[in-house]
Amino acid sequence: MDKVDLISGITVDGLEVLAITLDAERNVIGETVLCLNDEERRRAEGLRRGSDRRRFVATRVQLRQILASKLGIPPSEVELVYGRLGKPRLSPRMPAHDLCFSVSRSGDVAVIALSSGHEVGVDIEAVLPVPEADEIAALCFSASEYGAYAALGPEDRLEGFLGHWTRMEAVSKALGCGLGQLLSWQESDWAVRRFVPKPGYIGTVVVRN
Ligand SMILES: CC(C)(COP(=O)(O)OP(=O)(O)OC[C@H]1O[C@@H](n2cnc3c(N)ncnc32)[C@H](O)[C@@H]1OP(=O)(O)O)[C@@H](O)C(=O)NCCC(=O)NCCS
């Protein structure tokens, strides 16, 4: 991979999850950036913090390169469309447009999950203290999820919280909706897999059965 480094990858039952190091200090310049379209460049220019801009650009270049290699076309020709709340998908005009993907970034890591024909969602978080975790859990987790979280000992609380949180985000991203619309998701419809994209991070990927 050019300019960004693959940390790890898992492939299970048609699901591929690629974790990439994002170096926010390093400018992704030169030919790789030429694959971004005008809208992506405008979005990058609109990001005020240079590190956010570089992380977005590096992730989008990688996404284009990975999708292009699957489709057998140049990265600049990958055409994306967006759902009502911003979920990106391959345009129906693309070959193999049933290839589903999902992207997440946290700190210096980006993850791209790919699945053919099955909706996929991924979310990662750095394992860092979340002072409001108990309040968020009480507000956002289902009764059974909250019960399981509340039963954890203090040393397991943070990872327990982030595990639930990334699962909710992953499902919401697979569905293309906000967390508030998640109330009706059926757990039995999804294969859920927790993973560690890099030490110090936690991730969950979900694929619709
Ligand atoms: C999309 C969302 C899950 C992002 O989560 P996050 O933890 O902040 O960011 P992540 O790095 O994990 O994910 C970002 C990626 O999710 C994807 N994404 C964006 N909107 C999405 C959506 N509605 N559904 C699925 N995926 C989405 C994009 O690939 C994005 O990558 P990009 O910034 O390189 O384009 C979160 O903002 C959300 O719930 N949005 C739903 C839409 C919504 O409620 N909008 C409120 C508008 S008022």
Side-chain angles (χ1 to χ4, degrees), residues 142-160:
S142 69
S144 62
E145 283 173 344
Y146 183 74
Y149 169 73
L152 293 172
E155 67 286 359
D156 296 324
R157 278 278 174 107
L158 178 57
E159 290 215 8

Side-chain angles (χ1 to χ4, degrees), residues 8 17 27 34 44 50 87 93 96 104 114 150 156 165 189 208:
S8 60
V17 184
N27 239 330
L34 293 178
K87 180 180 171 68
R93 300 203 309 206
S104 184
L114 302 138
D156 296 324
W165 183 258
D189 291 345
R208 199 193 280 273

Side-chain angles (χ1 to χ4, degrees), residues 24-27 47-56:
E25 299 307 314
R26 189 167 55 179
N27 239 330
L47 293 169
R48 271 197 273 157
R49 280 175 43 188
S51 57
D52 288 344
R53 194 160 52 242
R54 288 189 284 274
R55 289 163 72 244
F56 166 71

